[in-house]
Every structure is written in C-alpha cells, then in structure tokens.
Amino acid sequence: MQKYFIFAALALTAACVDEDPMDGRSAYLDNCASCHAADGTGNGPMARELGVIAPDLTQISARNGGTFPRDAVMSTIDGYEASGHLTGAMPEFGAGDMGETVIVENNGLGTPVPLKLLVLTDYVESLQR
C-alpha cells in the first residue's frame, strides 16, 4: 500500500508542476554537447578551444567490460568523483542547481538523486555502442 501512495504522490506532484518535464537529451545538449559533441564521441567545439580531449562517452561501457558503471558516471557528472574534473575543464554540476530530487530504489534502499543528474546519466547510458 505504501508503494502506491508514493507513486500517487509523485503523479500529483508532477501534475502540479508548470514547466515541461526534464528530458535527458535536452539536458545533455544544453550542458555536455559543447565538449563531448552531440553524438557523445568527444569532439565538441568547446573541447577543441580548451585544448583538452573530452572522453568519448559512447565507449564508457566498453571501457568497463561491457557494463555501464552508473554510480561512477553519476559521481563524475556531479563532481563527487574528481576523475572527470582533474583538468578543471568539466564543471562540477553538483555545485549548481540539479533540480528536485527523486528517490531511486536500489536493493531495497531509497537514495535521493537530483532529477537532472538522473536524466543525464540515463541519456549517457543510451549513447553506449
């Protein structure tokens, strides 16, 4: 019964929001494509101007034995894990407003995750080749 209450509350909350729901592709194009390119291959125009090589985001799973490392990707985008931020070229998105949080259930534990971080990670996962 409690599970249904949570879903009903989320549906009611979504119905009360005036703005369009956040989608991962739009969030990616607005925040990531200038360096990582629209297709995720890492050859965006801003990366060339900064003189850095942006990682090819389409090969994250391939570099990780065929598994998408969801938590590590979220940590890198957020700025919690410094690997993506060592050059200082990639912004620490978690330092800004990443929107409302949603509860993501994993192994029976609920973890609050900013919606923008979640949709960006989902979109990056969809880019895998």
Side-chain angles (χ1 to χ4, degrees), residues 29-70:
L29 292 174
D30 290 346
N31 295 280
C32 311
S34 62
C35 290
H36 294 282
D39 65 358
T41 57
N43 60 351
M46 188 61 127
R48 289 186 291 260
E49 286 183 29
L50 293 173
V52 299
I53 298 172
D56 181 343
L57 301 180
T58 68
Q59 297 299 309
I60 295 171
S61 291
R63 290 190 302 262
N64 194 52
T67 302
F68 187 74
R70 188 169 191 75

PDB file of all heavy atoms in Angstrom, residues 29-70:
ATOM      1  N   LEU A  29      22.324  18.072 -24.354  1.00  0.00           N
ATOM      2  CA  LEU A  29      22.658  19.052 -25.381  1.00  0.00           C
ATOM      3  C   LEU A  29      22.963  20.421 -24.770  1.00  0.00           C
ATOM      4  O   LEU A  29      23.860  21.127 -25.234  1.00  0.00           O
ATOM      5  CB  LEU A  29      21.534  19.150 -26.412  1.00  0.00           C
ATOM      6  CG  LEU A  29      21.351  17.906 -27.291  1.00  0.00           C
ATOM      7  CD1 LEU A  29      20.114  18.050 -28.168  1.00  0.00           C
ATOM      8  CD2 LEU A  29      22.590  17.608 -28.123  1.00  0.00           C
ATOM      9  N   ASP A  30      22.247  20.786 -23.712  1.00  0.00           N
ATOM     10  CA  ASP A  30      22.464  22.072 -23.049  1.00  0.00           C
ATOM     11  C   ASP A  30      23.751  22.119 -22.230  1.00  0.00           C
ATOM     12  O   ASP A  30      24.356  23.178 -22.099  1.00  0.00           O
ATOM     13  CB  ASP A  30      21.298  22.410 -22.118  1.00  0.00           C
ATOM     14  CG  ASP A  30      20.023  22.744 -22.854  1.00  0.00           C
ATOM     15  OD1 ASP A  30      20.083  22.987 -24.085  1.00  0.00           O
ATOM     16  OD2 ASP A  30      18.959  22.753 -22.206  1.00  0.00           O
ATOM     17  N   ASN A  31      24.163  20.990 -21.653  1.00  0.00           N
ATOM     18  CA  ASN A  31      25.246  21.005 -20.680  1.00  0.00           C
ATOM     19  C   ASN A  31      26.503  20.244 -21.079  1.00  0.00           C
ATOM     20  O   ASN A  31      27.569  20.501 -20.501  1.00  0.00           O
ATOM     21  CB  ASN A  31      24.750  20.409 -19.354  1.00  0.00           C
ATOM     22  CG  ASN A  31      23.678  21.243 -18.735  1.00  0.00           C
ATOM     23  OD1 ASN A  31      23.948  22.250 -18.112  1.00  0.00           O
ATOM     24  ND2 ASN A  31      22.423  20.837 -18.909  1.00  0.00           N
ATOM     25  N   CYS A  32      26.411  19.325 -22.025  1.00  0.00           N
ATOM     26  CA  CYS A  32      27.527  18.420 -22.286  1.00  0.00           C
ATOM     27  C   CYS A  32      28.034  18.436 -23.726  1.00  0.00           C
ATOM     28  O   CYS A  32      29.213  18.185 -23.976  1.00  0.00           O
ATOM     29  CB  CYS A  32      27.131  16.984 -21.932  1.00  0.00           C
ATOM     30  SG  CYS A  32      26.366  16.786 -20.307  1.00  0.00           S
ATOM     31  N   ALA A  33      27.133  18.681 -24.670  1.00  0.00           N
ATOM     32  CA  ALA A  33      27.473  18.526 -26.085  1.00  0.00           C
ATOM     33  C   ALA A  33      28.556  19.484 -26.562  1.00  0.00           C
ATOM     34  O   ALA A  33      29.293  19.152 -27.487  1.00  0.00           O
ATOM     35  CB  ALA A  33      26.225  18.687 -26.951  1.00  0.00           C
ATOM     36  N   SER A  34      28.697  20.632 -25.932  1.00  0.00           N
ATOM     37  CA  SER A  34      29.715  21.572 -26.405  1.00  0.00           C
ATOM     38  C   SER A  34      31.120  20.983 -26.286  1.00  0.00           C
ATOM     39  O   SER A  34      31.985  21.298 -27.092  1.00  0.00           O
ATOM     40  CB  SER A  34      29.621  22.899 -25.662  1.00  0.00           C
ATOM     41  OG  SER A  34      29.860  22.710 -24.286  1.00  0.00           O
ATOM     42  N   CYS A  35      31.346  20.106 -25.340  1.00  0.00           N
ATOM     43  CA  CYS A  35      32.652  19.444 -25.215  1.00  0.00           C
ATOM     44  C   CYS A  35      32.619  18.003 -25.721  1.00  0.00           C
ATOM     45  O   CYS A  35      33.532  17.561 -26.402  1.00  0.00           O
ATOM     46  CB  CYS A  35      33.127  19.454 -23.765  1.00  0.00           C
ATOM     47  SG  CYS A  35      33.592  21.100 -23.181  1.00  0.00           S
ATOM     48  N   HIS A  36      31.578  17.267 -25.359  1.00  0.00           N
ATOM     49  CA  HIS A  36      31.526  15.842 -25.682  1.00  0.00           C
ATOM     50  C   HIS A  36      30.875  15.575 -27.035  1.00  0.00           C
ATOM     51  O   HIS A  36      30.790  14.415 -27.442  1.00  0.00           O
ATOM     52  CB  HIS A  36      30.785  15.072 -24.588  1.00  0.00           C
ATOM     53  CG  HIS A  36      31.513  15.072 -23.291  1.00  0.00           C
ATOM     54  ND1 HIS A  36      32.593  14.259 -23.035  1.00  0.00           N
ATOM     55  CD2 HIS A  36      31.325  15.811 -22.164  1.00  0.00           C
ATOM     56  CE1 HIS A  36      33.032  14.477 -21.812  1.00  0.00           C
ATOM     57  NE2 HIS A  36      32.285  15.418 -21.260  1.00  0.00           N
ATOM     58  N   ALA A  37      30.399  16.596 -27.731  1.00  0.00           N
ATOM     59  CA  ALA A  37      29.733  16.527 -29.036  1.00  0.00           C
ATOM     60  C   ALA A  37      28.316  16.004 -28.886  1.00  0.00           C
ATOM     61  O   ALA A  37      28.002  15.296 -27.935  1.00  0.00           O
ATOM     62  CB  ALA A  37      30.503  15.685 -30.041  1.00  0.00           C
ATOM     63  N   ALA A  38      27.474  16.377 -29.819  1.00  0.00           N
ATOM     64  CA  ALA A  38      26.071  15.979 -29.772  1.00  0.00           C
ATOM     65  C   ALA A  38      25.918  14.464 -29.778  1.00  0.00           C
ATOM     66  O   ALA A  38      25.008  13.921 -29.163  1.00  0.00           O
ATOM     67  CB  ALA A  38      25.304  16.593 -30.945  1.00  0.00           C
ATOM     68  N   ASP A  39      26.839  13.765 -30.440  1.00  0.00           N
ATOM     69  CA  ASP A  39      26.753  12.304 -30.502  1.00  0.00           C
ATOM     70  C   ASP A  39      27.530  11.608 -29.388  1.00  0.00           C
ATOM     71  O   ASP A  39      27.573  10.391 -29.320  1.00  0.00           O
ATOM     72  CB  ASP A  39      27.206  11.794 -31.870  1.00  0.00           C
ATOM     73  CG  ASP A  39      28.679  12.072 -32.158  1.00  0.00           C
ATOM     74  OD1 ASP A  39      29.376  12.699 -31.316  1.00  0.00           O
ATOM     75  OD2 ASP A  39      29.142  11.663 -33.241  1.00  0.00           O
ATOM     76  N   GLY A  40      28.190  12.386 -28.514  1.00  0.00           N
ATOM     77  CA  GLY A  40      28.901  11.819 -27.376  1.00  0.00           C
ATOM     78  C   GLY A  40      30.313  11.338 -27.655  1.00  0.00           C
ATOM     79  O   GLY A  40      30.972  10.796 -26.771  1.00  0.00           O
ATOM     80  N   THR A  41      30.799  11.540 -28.868  1.00  0.00           N
ATOM     81  CA  THR A  41      32.110  10.991 -29.230  1.00  0.00           C
ATOM     82  C   THR A  41      33.301  11.795 -28.724  1.00  0.00           C
ATOM     83  O   THR A  41      34.443  11.365 -28.874  1.00  0.00           O
ATOM     84  CB  THR A  41      32.230  10.821 -30.752  1.00  0.00           C
ATOM     85  OG1 THR A  41      31.994  12.094 -31.368  1.00  0.00           O
ATOM     86  CG2 THR A  41      31.254   9.783 -31.274  1.00  0.00           C
ATOM     87  N   GLY A  42      33.051  12.959 -28.149  1.00  0.00           N
ATOM     88  CA  GLY A  42      34.136  13.699 -27.512  1.00  0.00           C
ATOM     89  C   GLY A  42      34.812  14.756 -28.347  1.00  0.00           C
ATOM     90  O   GLY A  42      35.837  15.286 -27.954  1.00  0.00           O
ATOM     91  N   ASN A  43      34.269  15.073 -29.498  1.00  0.00           N
ATOM     92  CA  ASN A  43      34.920  16.061 -30.356  1.00  0.00           C
ATOM     93  C   ASN A  43      34.093  17.334 -30.503  1.00  0.00           C
ATOM     94  O   ASN A  43      33.983  17.894 -31.579  1.00  0.00           O
ATOM     95  CB  ASN A  43      35.229  15.454 -31.729  1.00  0.00           C
ATOM     96  CG  ASN A  43      33.976  14.980 -32.443  1.00  0.00           C
ATOM     97  OD1 ASN A  43      32.894  14.947 -31.866  1.00  0.00           O
ATOM     98  ND2 ASN A  43      34.121  14.622 -33.702  1.00  0.00           N
ATOM     99  N   GLY A  44      33.537  17.795 -29.387  1.00  0.00           N
ATOM    100  CA  GLY A  44      32.737  19.011 -29.416  1.00  0.00           C
ATOM    101  C   GLY A  44      33.582  20.246 -29.641  1.00  0.00           C
ATOM    102  O   GLY A  44      34.786  20.262 -29.367  1.00  0.00           O
ATOM    103  N   PRO A  45      32.989  21.326 -30.137  1.00  0.00           N
ATOM    104  CA  PRO A  45      33.740  22.538 -30.474  1.00  0.00           C
ATOM    105  C   PRO A  45      34.405  23.197 -29.260  1.00  0.00           C
ATOM    106  O   PRO A  45      35.494  23.748 -29.384  1.00  0.00           O
ATOM    107  CB  PRO A  45      32.689  23.457 -31.096  1.00  0.00           C
ATOM    108  CG  PRO A  45      31.376  22.927 -30.640  1.00  0.00           C
ATOM    109  CD  PRO A  45      31.571  21.465 -30.422  1.00  0.00           C
ATOM    110  N   MET A  46      33.810  23.155 -28.108  1.00  0.00           N
ATOM    111  CA  MET A  46      34.393  23.789 -26.930  1.00  0.00           C
ATOM    112  C   MET A  46      35.628  23.028 -26.448  1.00  0.00           C
ATOM    113  O   MET A  46      36.588  23.636 -25.989  1.00  0.00           O
ATOM    114  CB  MET A  46      33.364  23.893 -25.807  1.00  0.00           C
ATOM    115  CG  MET A  46      33.851  24.709 -24.648  1.00  0.00           C
ATOM    116  SD  MET A  46      34.210  26.385 -25.180  1.00  0.00           S
ATOM    117  CE  MET A  46      33.261  27.268 -24.021  1.00  0.00           C
ATOM    118  N   ALA A  47      35.625  21.719 -26.567  1.00  0.00           N
ATOM    119  CA  ALA A  47      36.786  20.915 -26.155  1.00  0.00           C
ATOM    120  C   ALA A  47      38.003  21.302 -26.979  1.00  0.00           C
ATOM    121  O   ALA A  47      39.113  21.425 -26.439  1.00  0.00           O
ATOM    122  CB  ALA A  47      36.494  19.429 -26.297  1.00  0.00           C
ATOM    123  N   ARG A  48      37.802  21.546 -28.260  1.00  0.00           N
ATOM    124  CA  ARG A  48      38.922  21.960 -29.121  1.00  0.00           C
ATOM    125  C   ARG A  48      39.464  23.308 -28.683  1.00  0.00           C
ATOM    126  O   ARG A  48      40.670  23.529 -28.661  1.00  0.00           O
ATOM    127  CB  ARG A  48      38.477  21.991 -30.575  1.00  0.00           C
ATOM    128  CG  ARG A  48      38.257  20.599 -31.154  1.00  0.00           C
ATOM    129  CD  ARG A  48      37.971  20.680 -32.645  1.00  0.00           C
ATOM    130  NE  ARG A  48      36.667  21.297 -32.906  1.00  0.00           N
ATOM    131  CZ  ARG A  48      35.571  20.615 -33.189  1.00  0.00           C
ATOM    132  NH1 ARG A  48      35.609  19.308 -33.252  1.00  0.00           N
ATOM    133  NH2 ARG A  48      34.435  21.239 -33.421  1.00  0.00           N
ATOM    134  N   GLU A  49      38.571  24.227 -28.297  1.00  0.00           N
ATOM    135  CA  GLU A  49      39.007  25.549 -27.845  1.00  0.00           C
ATOM    136  C   GLU A  49      39.756  25.486 -26.520  1.00  0.00           C
ATOM    137  O   GLU A  49      40.657  26.276 -26.276  1.00  0.00           O
ATOM    138  CB  GLU A  49      37.810  26.489 -27.713  1.00  0.00           C
ATOM    139  CG  GLU A  49      37.254  26.952 -29.028  1.00  0.00           C
ATOM    140  CD  GLU A  49      36.116  27.931 -28.863  1.00  0.00           C
ATOM    141  OE1 GLU A  49      36.087  28.662 -27.855  1.00  0.00           O
ATOM    142  OE2 GLU A  49      35.242  27.962 -29.744  1.00  0.00           O
ATOM    143  N   LEU A  50      39.353  24.559 -25.640  1.00  0.00           N
ATOM    144  CA  LEU A  50      40.005  24.429 -24.341  1.00  0.00           C
ATOM    145  C   LEU A  50      41.324  23.676 -24.426  1.00  0.00           C
ATOM    146  O   LEU A  50      42.103  23.673 -23.475  1.00  0.00           O
ATOM    147  CB  LEU A  50      39.082  23.703 -23.348  1.00  0.00           C
ATOM    148  CG  LEU A  50      37.826  24.450 -22.937  1.00  0.00           C
ATOM    149  CD1 LEU A  50      36.935  23.549 -22.095  1.00  0.00           C
ATOM    150  CD2 LEU A  50      38.183  25.702 -22.157  1.00  0.00           C
ATOM    151  N   GLY A  51      41.558  22.999 -25.556  1.00  0.00           N
ATOM    152  CA  GLY A  51      42.793  22.245 -25.712  1.00  0.00           C
ATOM    153  C   GLY A  51      42.805  20.946 -24.923  1.00  0.00           C
ATOM    154  O   GLY A  51      43.875  20.443 -24.578  1.00  0.00           O
ATOM    155  N   VAL A  52      41.632  20.397 -24.620  1.00  0.00           N
ATOM    156  CA  VAL A  52      41.556  19.120 -23.908  1.00  0.00           C
ATOM    157  C   VAL A  52      40.874  18.098 -24.800  1.00  0.00           C
ATOM    158  O   VAL A  52      40.162  18.460 -25.740  1.00  0.00           O
ATOM    159  CB  VAL A  52      40.774  19.231 -22.571  1.00  0.00           C
ATOM    160  CG1 VAL A  52      41.460  20.193 -21.634  1.00  0.00           C
ATOM    161  CG2 VAL A  52      39.335  19.626 -22.798  1.00  0.00           C
ATOM    162  N   ILE A  53      41.098  16.852 -24.499  1.00  0.00           N
ATOM    163  CA  ILE A  53      40.411  15.784 -25.197  1.00  0.00           C
ATOM    164  C   ILE A  53      39.287  15.324 -24.287  1.00  0.00           C
ATOM    165  O   ILE A  53      39.528  14.785 -23.207  1.00  0.00           O
ATOM    166  CB  ILE A  53      41.362  14.617 -25.514  1.00  0.00           C
ATOM    167  CG1 ILE A  53      42.474  15.096 -26.441  1.00  0.00           C
ATOM    168  CG2 ILE A  53      40.590  13.459 -26.134  1.00  0.00           C
ATOM    169  CD1 ILE A  53      43.561  14.075 -26.669  1.00  0.00           C
ATOM    170  N   ALA A  54      38.073  15.587 -24.703  1.00  0.00           N
ATOM    171  CA  ALA A  54      36.915  15.154 -23.921  1.00  0.00           C
ATOM    172  C   ALA A  54      36.717  13.663 -24.151  1.00  0.00           C
ATOM    173  O   ALA A  54      36.833  13.183 -25.283  1.00  0.00           O
ATOM    174  CB  ALA A  54      35.674  15.940 -24.344  1.00  0.00           C
ATOM    175  N   PRO A  55      36.428  12.914 -23.108  1.00  0.00           N
ATOM    176  CA  PRO A  55      36.244  11.472 -23.279  1.00  0.00           C
ATOM    177  C   PRO A  55      35.087  11.144 -24.223  1.00  0.00           C
ATOM    178  O   PRO A  55      34.096  11.862 -24.295  1.00  0.00           O
ATOM    179  CB  PRO A  55      35.905  10.986 -21.866  1.00  0.00           C
ATOM    180  CG  PRO A  55      36.409  12.042 -20.955  1.00  0.00           C
ATOM    181  CD  PRO A  55      36.317  13.324 -21.709  1.00  0.00           C
ATOM    182  N   ASP A  56      35.250  10.053 -24.937  1.00  0.00           N
ATOM    183  CA  ASP A  56      34.200   9.520 -25.799  1.00  0.00           C
ATOM    184  C   ASP A  56      33.190   8.836 -24.891  1.00  0.00           C
ATOM    185  O   ASP A  56      33.452   7.766 -24.339  1.00  0.00           O
ATOM    186  CB  ASP A  56      34.806   8.530 -26.787  1.00  0.00           C
ATOM    187  CG  ASP A  56      33.798   7.940 -27.759  1.00  0.00           C
ATOM    188  OD1 ASP A  56      32.575   8.028 -27.497  1.00  0.00           O
ATOM    189  OD2 ASP A  56      34.232   7.368 -28.767  1.00  0.00           O
ATOM    190  N   LEU A  57      32.036   9.443 -24.722  1.00  0.00           N
ATOM    191  CA  LEU A  57      31.018   8.922 -23.814  1.00  0.00           C
ATOM    192  C   LEU A  57      30.288   7.708 -24.370  1.00  0.00           C
ATOM    193  O   LEU A  57      29.593   7.024 -23.634  1.00  0.00           O
ATOM    194  CB  LEU A  57      30.011  10.027 -23.468  1.00  0.00           C
ATOM    195  CG  LEU A  57      30.598  11.265 -22.799  1.00  0.00           C
ATOM    196  CD1 LEU A  57      29.500  12.277 -22.505  1.00  0.00           C
ATOM    197  CD2 LEU A  57      31.357  10.905 -21.532  1.00  0.00           C
ATOM    198  N   THR A  58      30.479   7.418 -25.654  1.00  0.00           N
ATOM    199  CA  THR A  58      29.808   6.259 -26.250  1.00  0.00           C
ATOM    200  C   THR A  58      30.523   4.954 -25.908  1.00  0.00           C
ATOM    201  O   THR A  58      29.994   3.882 -26.164  1.00  0.00           O
ATOM    202  CB  THR A  58      29.712   6.382 -27.785  1.00  0.00           C
ATOM    203  OG1 THR A  58      31.022   6.286 -28.356  1.00  0.00           O
ATOM    204  CG2 THR A  58      29.041   7.680 -28.197  1.00  0.00           C
ATOM    205  N   GLN A  59      31.719   5.058 -25.335  1.00  0.00           N
ATOM    206  CA  GLN A  59      32.533   3.874 -25.064  1.00  0.00           C
ATOM    207  C   GLN A  59      32.705   3.578 -23.566  1.00  0.00           C
ATOM    208  O   GLN A  59      33.554   2.781 -23.186  1.00  0.00           O
ATOM    209  CB  GLN A  59      33.912   4.053 -25.702  1.00  0.00           C
ATOM    210  CG  GLN A  59      33.866   4.172 -27.211  1.00  0.00           C
ATOM    211  CD  GLN A  59      33.294   2.925 -27.859  1.00  0.00           C
ATOM    212  OE1 GLN A  59      33.728   1.812 -27.573  1.00  0.00           O
ATOM    213  NE2 GLN A  59      32.295   3.100 -28.708  1.00  0.00           N
ATOM    214  N   ILE A  60      31.901   4.214 -22.724  1.00  0.00           N
ATOM    215  CA  ILE A  60      32.037   4.006 -21.277  1.00  0.00           C
ATOM    216  C   ILE A  60      31.822   2.538 -20.922  1.00  0.00           C
ATOM    217  O   ILE A  60      32.629   1.951 -20.182  1.00  0.00           O
ATOM    218  CB  ILE A  60      31.069   4.915 -20.491  1.00  0.00           C
ATOM    219  CG1 ILE A  60      31.436   6.386 -20.699  1.00  0.00           C
ATOM    220  CG2 ILE A  60      31.088   4.557 -19.003  1.00  0.00           C
ATOM    221  CD1 ILE A  60      30.412   7.362 -20.135  1.00  0.00           C
ATOM    222  N   SER A  61      30.772   1.933 -21.420  1.00  0.00           N
ATOM    223  CA  SER A  61      30.519   0.515 -21.129  1.00  0.00           C
ATOM    224  C   SER A  61      31.638  -0.366 -21.675  1.00  0.00           C
ATOM    225  O   SER A  61      32.086  -1.298 -20.997  1.00  0.00           O
ATOM    226  CB  SER A  61      29.179   0.065 -21.716  1.00  0.00           C
ATOM    227  OG  SER A  61      28.110   0.664 -21.032  1.00  0.00           O
ATOM    228  N   ALA A  62      32.076  -0.093 -22.885  1.00  0.00           N
ATOM    229  CA  ALA A  62      33.150  -0.886 -23.491  1.00  0.00           C
ATOM    230  C   ALA A  62      34.423  -0.813 -22.652  1.00  0.00           C
ATOM    231  O   ALA A  62      35.116  -1.824 -22.484  1.00  0.00           O
ATOM    232  CB  ALA A  62      33.418  -0.407 -24.921  1.00  0.00           C
ATOM    233  N   ARG A  63      34.714   0.370 -22.117  1.00  0.00           N
ATOM    234  CA  ARG A  63      35.905   0.526 -21.269  1.00  0.00           C
ATOM    235  C   ARG A  63      35.727  -0.135 -19.906  1.00  0.00           C
ATOM    236  O   ARG A  63      36.682  -0.277 -19.155  1.00  0.00           O
ATOM    237  CB  ARG A  63      36.232   2.015 -21.073  1.00  0.00           C
ATOM    238  CG  ARG A  63      36.740   2.705 -22.319  1.00  0.00           C
ATOM    239  CD  ARG A  63      37.268   4.106 -22.031  1.00  0.00           C
ATOM    240  NE  ARG A  63      36.306   4.999 -21.423  1.00  0.00           N
ATOM    241  CZ  ARG A  63      35.568   5.904 -22.072  1.00  0.00           C
ATOM    242  NH1 ARG A  63      35.681   6.008 -23.381  1.00  0.00           N
ATOM    243  NH2 ARG A  63      34.733   6.680 -21.430  1.00  0.00           N
ATOM    244  N   ASN A  64      34.495  -0.529 -19.586  1.00  0.00           N
ATOM    245  CA  ASN A  64      34.194  -1.112 -18.280  1.00  0.00           C
ATOM    246  C   ASN A  64      33.707  -2.563 -18.428  1.00  0.00           C
ATOM    247  O   ASN A  64      32.800  -2.989 -17.720  1.00  0.00           O
ATOM    248  CB  ASN A  64      33.138  -0.257 -17.566  1.00  0.00           C
ATOM    249  CG  ASN A  64      33.024  -0.581 -16.107  1.00  0.00           C
ATOM    250  OD1 ASN A  64      34.005  -0.601 -15.387  1.00  0.00           O
ATOM    251  ND2 ASN A  64      31.802  -0.849 -15.661  1.00  0.00           N
ATOM    252  N   GLY A  65      34.279  -3.292 -19.366  1.00  0.00           N
ATOM    253  CA  GLY A  65      33.953  -4.702 -19.535  1.00  0.00           C
ATOM    254  C   GLY A  65      32.531  -4.971 -19.988  1.00  0.00           C
ATOM    255  O   GLY A  65      31.976  -6.027 -19.706  1.00  0.00           O
ATOM    256  N   GLY A  66      31.897  -4.017 -20.664  1.00  0.00           N
ATOM    257  CA  GLY A  66      30.553  -4.211 -21.181  1.00  0.00           C
ATOM    258  C   GLY A  66      29.440  -3.805 -20.233  1.00  0.00           C
ATOM    259  O   GLY A  66      28.267  -3.949 -20.548  1.00  0.00           O
ATOM    260  N   THR A  67      29.800  -3.289 -19.067  1.00  0.00           N
ATOM    261  CA  THR A  67      28.803  -2.870 -18.076  1.00  0.00           C
ATOM    262  C   THR A  67      28.865  -1.361 -17.902  1.00  0.00           C
ATOM    263  O   THR A  67      29.951  -0.794 -17.751  1.00  0.00           O
ATOM    264  CB  THR A  67      29.081  -3.546 -16.717  1.00  0.00           C
ATOM    265  OG1 THR A  67      29.051  -4.961 -16.902  1.00  0.00           O
ATOM    266  CG2 THR A  67      28.057  -3.147 -15.679  1.00  0.00           C
ATOM    267  N   PHE A  68      27.720  -0.731 -17.910  1.00  0.00           N
ATOM    268  CA  PHE A  68      27.668   0.717 -17.702  1.00  0.00           C
ATOM    269  C   PHE A  68      27.808   1.002 -16.203  1.00  0.00           C
ATOM    270  O   PHE A  68      26.961   0.590 -15.413  1.00  0.00           O
ATOM    271  CB  PHE A  68      26.349   1.287 -18.235  1.00  0.00           C
ATOM    272  CG  PHE A  68      26.292   2.789 -18.196  1.00  0.00           C
ATOM    273  CD1 PHE A  68      27.007   3.548 -19.099  1.00  0.00           C
ATOM    274  CD2 PHE A  68      25.512   3.434 -17.254  1.00  0.00           C
ATOM    275  CE1 PHE A  68      26.955   4.935 -19.077  1.00  0.00           C
ATOM    276  CE2 PHE A  68      25.448   4.822 -17.219  1.00  0.00           C
ATOM    277  CZ  PHE A  68      26.171   5.575 -18.129  1.00  0.00           C
ATOM    278  N   PRO A  69      28.870   1.712 -15.793  1.00  0.00           N
ATOM    279  CA  PRO A  69      29.108   1.988 -14.372  1.00  0.00           C
ATOM    280  C   PRO A  69      28.289   3.187 -13.887  1.00  0.00           C
ATOM    281  O   PRO A  69      28.789   4.290 -13.680  1.00  0.00           O
ATOM    282  CB  PRO A  69      30.608   2.274 -14.332  1.00  0.00           C
ATOM    283  CG  PRO A  69      30.889   2.888 -15.671  1.00  0.00           C
ATOM    284  CD  PRO A  69      29.946   2.202 -16.639  1.00  0.00           C
ATOM    285  N   ARG A  70      27.010   2.974 -13.713  1.00  0.00           N
ATOM    286  CA  ARG A  70      26.040   4.027 -13.433  1.00  0.00           C
ATOM    287  C   ARG A  70      26.449   4.939 -12.271  1.00  0.00           C
ATOM    288  O   ARG A  70      26.405   6.158 -12.389  1.00  0.00           O
ATOM    289  CB  ARG A  70      24.693   3.367 -13.165  1.00  0.00           C
ATOM    290  CG  ARG A  70      23.562   4.310 -13.050  1.00  0.00           C
ATOM    291  CD  ARG A  70      22.240   3.521 -13.054  1.00  0.00           C
ATOM    292  NE  ARG A  70      21.163   4.450 -13.199  1.00  0.00           N
ATOM    293  CZ  ARG A  70      20.836   5.062 -14.321  1.00  0.00           C
ATOM    294  NH1 ARG A  70      21.504   4.835 -15.415  1.00  0.00           N
ATOM    295  NH2 ARG A  70      19.852   5.922 -14.360  1.00  0.00           N
TER     296      ARG A  70
END
